[in-house]
Amino acid sequence: MACSELPEVAYEREGFALAVEFEQPVCEGTLRGMEQRVAMVERTTGIEQSSPMTIYWLAGELERICPRPASGCFIPGTMIIAATGPSLHHEIVHAVMNTRGSVPYAEEGLAEVLSGQAVYYNPDFNDRPLRDLGQTRKDAREGAIDYVRAAHFMHFVREQVGEDGVRDLAAAIDAGNAPRRFVDILERHFEMEAEDIERAYARSGSFYPSVRFEEAEPITAFDLSSGVNLSLDCASKFTMGPPSAASAGMFRLRRIEGDERVRGTLAFEGEGDVGAVLFRAVDPGGRWVQDWWRPVPKLDDKRIELRPGDRVSVDLDLREGWMVLARTDDPSELLFAGLQVFRTDGG
């Protein structure tokens, strides 16, 4: 790394220093979210690192830091993270837990859970997660770790045995314990033998929601009728950005909560190049789950895309988990944006 060309640190926050390989500013919401991620993982795991981590948000060529091709990595013993963007929060979890690759199945599964990833997976009696705890660093290097399966199992563990079990597993990761120690921890918390844990897992549900600490701002059906503020200001704690190292801009994400149906005319107003899109957080068919940190609205074929002045008829079942994202490609302006539903259903 000493011979590699790396960007200078541009942001100093609680728990981390951030160096970015692009010119556009990193908005307050993104910095605050990363800061809260460090604090949440420390609180959940009971692990507190004595020195801040250094995060390199790079545009590409992670091989300058990472030992193999990847979207991100944490270098054990250095508190150094490198990522192109999507895996920043995942790598923050690794840094807090000081993962060494000793038990990659548990390390990657917990990193997915604590970075806020929801997951769909259909387990069956052929799944042997406790055997998978024996996968090695070599297995990880060769791409043998199934992140979705690992995340699903760790969601199951967290649901069944709670934060005490997560804390004990994280402590074992921090200590570099062998796989057998993880099996012992699970048997103690579940109060059953390994084979029975795996049988219980085979009967578990397919979907686990995100455990993200910093939830998107909520919107109710009443808010939709009254008018919703989606204005963008990079200095605001509600504004995130850039979307990636390769694309400038900022965005604001809000979730719509409730269990009723909203029918009427949706009006969107804004200025400049601001746009908005309504989309669902989870596909009811189980084909995809949005990343809460960087959602991809185009995954949803029912999405509603809006430009300033648009008026569209809507019939929204709020039980489907709708979200709204306002965005712009210009991070330098303070832009007004808002939407309102003029209801025809008497709500």
Side-chain angles (χ1 to χ4, degrees):
M1 285 187 294
C3 300
S4 301
E5 205 171 301
L6 292 170
E8 300 274 340
V9 168
Y11 303 90
E12 297 272 3
R13 300 291 290 227
E14 186 69 31
F16 69 90
L18 176 65
V20 298
E21 197 170 48
F22 44 82
E23 294 183 1
Q24 61 264 32
V26 179
C27 295
E28 177 62 21
T30 289
L31 293 169
R32 182 171 173 265
M34 294 166 68
E35 198 170 57
Q36 290 181 318
R37 178 67 61 206
V38 174
M40 183 275 285
V41 178
E42 288 185 338
R43 183 170 59 252
T44 302
T45 62
I47 299 169
E48 214 171 302
Q49 296 297 340
S50 57
S51 59
M53 62 190 73
T54 300
I55 301 173
Y56 289 97
W57 188 348
L58 303 178
E61 298 180 24
L62 294 186
E63 292 82 357
R64 288 172 285 173
I65 296 180
C66 300
R68 62 184 183 278
S71 62
C73 68
F74 162 65
I75 308 300
T78 67
M79 295 304 289
I80 290 175
I81 288 170
T84 54
S87 65
L88 280 171
H89 282 221
H90 178 99
E91 303 306 334
I92 285 173
V93 181
H94 280 312
V96 172
M97 294 194 299
N98 191 28
T99 59
R100 297 167 171 81
S102 302
V103 188
Y105 192 81
E107 294 169 354
E108 300 301 346
L110 274 181
E112 288 287 278
V113 171
L114 297 180
S115 65
Q117 291 296 328
V119 66
Y120 262 122
Y121 178 72
N122 291 308
D124 58 35
F125 289 97
N126 292 318
D127 283 305
R128 300 290 300 278
L130 299 191
R131 181 184 60 190
D132 290 334
L133 289 172
Q135 291 180 303
T136 65
R137 291 185 183 90
K138 182 175 181 290
D139 294 324
R141 285 195 301 271
E142 294 175 352
I145 306 299
D146 187 327
Y147 282 51
V148 173
R149 286 179 55 208
H152 189 271
F153 178 63
M154 285 302 166
H155 269 291
F156 164 75
V157 169
R158 181 180 181 275
E159 179 189 68
Q160 295 296 311
V161 303
E163 302 300 342
D164 286 346
V166 171
R167 191 173 295 110
D168 284 351
L169 290 171
I173 290 171
D174 186 37
N177 290 156
R180 181 62 234 180
R181 172 62 178 149
F182 287 77
V183 175
D184 291 342
I185 290 169
L186 292 171
E187 288 181 330
R188 175 163 56 83
H189 280 280
F190 276 89
E191 297 181 343
M192 59 179 70
E193 298 296 318
E195 294 79 4
D196 295 322
I197 295 173
E198 291 185 327
R199 291 192 191 98
Y201 174 63
R203 295 188 292 268
S204 67
S206 58
F207 174 65
Y208 287 101
S210 169
V211 296
R212 181 181 175 190
F213 174 74
E214 58 278 31
E215 290 280 345
E217 301 170 83
I219 299 171
T220 65
F222 176 80
D223 295 328
L224 286 173
S225 301
S226 304
V228 175
N229 178 17
L230 295 170
S231 296
L232 296 170
D233 174 5
C234 197
S236 166
K237 67 179 182 179
F238 300 117
T239 303
M240 296 182 284
S244 71
S247 70
M250 53 186 175
F251 61 97
R252 184 171 180 178
L253 180 67
R254 302 193 69 175
R255 60 186 170 87
I256 306 174
E257 61 181 15
D259 57 6
E260 60 185 291
R261 204 168 195 106
V262 174
R263 300 181 180 91
T265 299
L266 173 64
F268 178 65
E269 301 293 345
E271 57 189 14
D273 72 343
V274 69
V277 57
L278 276 76
F279 59 99
R280 295 171 297 173
V282 178
D283 173 27
R287 294 169 298 173
W288 48 260
V289 181
Q290 296 287 355
D291 178 349
W292 278 79
W293 181 239
R294 281 186 175 76
V296 182
K298 68 180 181 181
L299 290 174
D300 187 5
D301 56 13
K302 289 181 66 175
R303 68 187 181 278
I304 303 168
E305 298 187 359
L306 301 164
R307 299 298 300 173
D310 281 352
R311 304 286 188 274
V312 298
S313 295
V314 294
D315 182 356
L316 303 175
D317 182 351
L318 301 191
R319 292 171 299 181
E320 291 184 332
W322 285 87
M323 307 187 76
V324 58
L325 180 79
R327 59 192 176 193
T328 177
D329 293 333
D330 187 349
S332 63
E333 293 189 43
L334 279 63
L335 296 177
F336 161 75
L339 60 78
Q340 187 173 6
V341 176
F342 297 94
R343 298 182 68 168
T344 59
D345 55 9

